[in-house]
């Protein structure tokens, strides 16, 4: 064993002993997963298996002068006509002043929150915000001052109000409008599957910061393609585009591609091009990815996605209604919320026995996965159910019957090492 291996092995052993060691599945496990009903992936609209999208993609590829590679980073040879035209299309589609492509939503959040908040600014974030926002804001100049990064209780408007009011009392620049206050939220939370009260958040920020120095940043990663006109997201569904400083939309979930776009003002876009390290130092997305994104946005613009979205939302409603009808023992499996603004494809089943429940359901032919600490807070372990347009009511009924059968079994507390 090398000295490096010896140095890092105790950290892995500690996680293994606590049952929280992360692993990538083996090839044999992945082959088995293909045969199961998918209640795990982020392919919400089932477009990854859509013959229509595949045909559109092939057509785009044939028309593209370049297919492989990308040429380099955007500031060098990756700043191509294809990338610029896609950004212009996305800015117009999302009704945004400007758009900037990133190779992932993670990079976009790290790039913005790591570069834009300045020393003396305040970043307020929902306590369940994505890890990429944490990783970005921790490296920002704002983080140099203790207390500049402030969480608020998940989706709690009064908690948000309290944090802003406290900041105003201690920092006159916020009330005067010379210091910026950034509020980071997700429109649809990836682990809890609930919707942010964006209207109320806008009202609070605008009322308490009337000088216009309150800036709301909305991560729409899990809402893109599902909600709003032409799948433009929950901000568009609520008609709040003009009240939001920046929106992040990703292409690797419901849209069956990869990469992301950051929607904001032309000035912020120019700033990110100069100061966002993931933007400056990352190779641009490939030409084939650009073609794929064009193909899927054709489906959005022409309305071809709509039957997928409507079916998905219908299945989400059906799942929640049927889950509640089963009246499972809440100490064994429950939802983290009693209602949400919209039915969503993410349904977290909180359970102190998330790992054995997931293994049991996998054995019955359902692809679900346990999400445990440290990915989620302690005591919030869950089986995260993700619904898809290609799922069926029979599959949902079978999954719920599997949960019932697990509750009635004798081995529900056994945690399998393979998880």
């Amino acid at each position: 064993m090398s000295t490096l291996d010896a140095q890092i092995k105790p950290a892995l052993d500690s996680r293994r002993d606590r049952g929280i060691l992360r692993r990538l599945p083996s090839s044999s496990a992945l082959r088995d997963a293909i045969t199961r009903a998918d209640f795990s992936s982020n392919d919400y609209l089932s477009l990854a298996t859509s013959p229509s999208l595949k045909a559109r993609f092939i057509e785009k590829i044939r028309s593209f002068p370049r297919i492989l590679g990308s040429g380099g980073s955007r500031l060098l040879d990756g700043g191509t006509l294809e990338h610029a035209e896609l950004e212009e299309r996305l800015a117009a589609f999302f009704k945004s002043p400007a758009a900037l492509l990133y190779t992932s939503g993670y990079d976009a959040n790290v790039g913005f929150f790591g570069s834009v908040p300045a020393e003396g600014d305040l970043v307020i974030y929902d306590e369940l915000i994505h890890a990429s926002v944490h990783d970005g804001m921790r490296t920002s100049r704002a983080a140099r001052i203790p207390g500049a990064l402030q969480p608020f209780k998940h989706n709690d408007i009064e908690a948000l109000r309290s944090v802003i009011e406290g900041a105003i009392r201690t920092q006159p620049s916020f009330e005067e409008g010379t210091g910026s206050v950034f509020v980071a939220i997700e429109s649809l939370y990836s682990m809890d599957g609930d919707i942010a009260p964006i209207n109320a958040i806008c009202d609070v920020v605008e009322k308490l910061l009337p000088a216009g120095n309150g800036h709301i940043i909305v991560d729409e990663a899990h809402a893109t393609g599902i909600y709003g006109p032409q799948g433009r997201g929950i901000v568009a569904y609520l008609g709040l585009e003009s009240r939001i400083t920046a929106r992040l939309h990703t292409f690797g979930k419901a849209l069956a591609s990869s990469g992301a776009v950051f929607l904001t003002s032309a000035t912020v876009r120019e700033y990110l091009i100069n100061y966002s390290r993931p933007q400056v130092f990352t190779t641009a997305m490939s030409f084939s990815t650009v073609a794929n994104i064009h193909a899927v946005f054709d489906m959005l613009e022409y309305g071809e996605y709509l039957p997928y979205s409507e079916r998905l939302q219908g299945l989400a409603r059906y799942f929640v209604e049927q889950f509640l009808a089963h009246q499972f023992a809440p100490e064994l499996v429950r939802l983290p919320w009693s209602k949400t603004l919209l039915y969503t494809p993410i349904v977290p089943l909180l359970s102190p026995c998330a790992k054995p429940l997931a293994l049991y359901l996998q054995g019955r032919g359902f692809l679900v996965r346990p999400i445990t600490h440290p990915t989620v807070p302690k005591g919030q372990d869950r089986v995260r159910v993700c619904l898809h347009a290609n799922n069926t009511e029979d599959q949902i009924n079978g999954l719920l019957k599997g949960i019932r059968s697990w509750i009635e079994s004798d081995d529900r507390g056994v945690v399998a090492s393979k998880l």
Side-chain angles (χ1 to χ4, degrees), residues 287-336:
F287 295 116
S288 59
T289 301
V290 172
N292 188 7
I293 294 168
H294 274 297
V296 76
F297 274 85
D298 284 348
M299 293 186 70
L300 296 182
E301 288 191 354
Y302 303 150
E304 192 174 340
Y305 81 100
L306 197 54
Y308 298 86
S309 175
E310 290 175 344
R311 173 167 174 76
L312 173 63
Q313 293 180 60
L315 288 172
R317 180 187 186 107
Y318 181 82
F319 185 100
V320 172
E321 290 176 345
Q322 293 303 307
F323 178 90
L324 294 175
H326 272 269
Q327 297 183 322
F328 296 122
E331 66 273 15
L332 292 177
V333 60
R334 62 181 177 86
L335 303 177

Side-chain angles (χ1 to χ4, degrees), residues 50-67:
S50 164
S52 176
L53 179 56
K54 181 178 180 180
R56 285 184 179 277
F57 173 60
I58 292 172
E59 182 182 352
K60 292 288 183 185
I61 286 291
R62 286 173 176 165
S63 69
F64 262 48
R66 295 175 284 189
I67 300 174

Side-chain angles (χ1 to χ4, degrees), residues 23-203:
R23 299 180 177 91
L24 290 176
S26 65
S27 59
S28 60
L30 292 171
R31 289 190 194 96
D32 291 341
I34 294 174
T35 65
R36 299 184 178 121
D38 182 11
F39 285 99
S40 178
S41 78
N42 287 337
D43 184 27
Y44 303 128
L45 294 179
S46 300
L47 293 183
T49 56
S50 164
S52 176
L53 179 56
K54 181 178 180 180
R56 285 184 179 277
F57 173 60
I58 292 172
E59 182 182 352
K60 292 288 183 185
I61 286 291
R62 286 173 176 165
S63 69
F64 262 48
R66 295 175 284 189
I67 300 174
L68 303 177
S70 64
S73 67
R74 289 296 303 283
L75 288 171
L76 297 175
D77 295 296
T80 70
L81 173 64
E82 290 86 345
H83 294 84
E85 288 180 337
L86 177 57
E87 284 178 337
E88 291 166 3
R89 177 182 187 179
L90 293 173
F93 176 83
F94 286 108
K95 303 186 186 304
S96 174
L100 184 62
L101 291 172
Y102 278 86
T103 53
S104 72
Y106 183 96
D107 277 354
N109 273 332
V110 168
F112 178 86
F113 287 99
S115 65
V116 175
E119 191 167 333
D121 290 343
L122 175 67
V123 182
I124 303 173
Y125 58 95
D126 188 289
E127 64 180 352
L128 298 187
I129 199 70
H130 192 265
S132 56
V133 174
H134 286 277
D135 290 350
M137 62 187 178
R138 278 199 294 258
T139 64
S140 70
R141 290 169 295 154
R144 297 172 185 172
I145 298 180
L149 311 179
Q150 291 285 331
F152 68 95
K153 186 178 179 181
H154 177 55
N155 278 350
D156 190 319
I157 295 300
E158 292 310 310
L160 172 62
R161 186 193 309 277
S162 177
V163 173
I164 297 176
E165 289 176 340
I168 292 172
R169 285 193 300 269
T170 58
Q171 188 71 24
S173 64
F174 298 140
E175 188 170 22
E176 295 164 357
T178 57
S180 292
V181 177
F182 298 92
V183 179
I185 62 172
E186 297 177 35
S187 60
L188 167 55
Y189 282 86
S190 60
M191 286 296 148
D192 276 47
D194 54 353
I195 305 294
I198 307 177
N199 256 315
I201 290 172
C202 289
D203 291 342

Side-chain angles (χ1 to χ4, degrees), residues 305-375:
Y305 81 100
L306 197 54
Y308 298 86
S309 175
E310 290 175 344
R311 173 167 174 76
L312 173 63
Q313 293 180 60
L315 288 172
R317 180 187 186 107
Y318 181 82
F319 185 100
V320 172
E321 290 176 345
Q322 293 303 307
F323 178 90
L324 294 175
H326 272 269
Q327 297 183 322
F328 296 122
E331 66 273 15
L332 292 177
V333 60
R334 62 181 177 86
L335 303 177
W337 32 258
S338 57
K339 62 179 180 179
T340 184
L341 176 65
L342 299 166
Y343 287 99
T344 79
I346 302 168
V347 186
L349 308 181
L350 270 61
S351 174
C353 307
K355 287 187 175 182
L357 172 56
L359 181 65
Y360 186 88
L361 293 173
Q362 288 171 14
R364 294 175 69 94
F366 301 102
L367 182 58
V368 295
R369 303 197 188 279
I371 309 294
T372 62
H373 176 74
T375 302

Side-chain angles (χ1 to χ4, degrees), residues 251-264:
F251 313 129
K253 297 176 175 64
L255 300 189
S257 186
S258 64
V261 64
F262 201 79
L263 306 170
T264 188

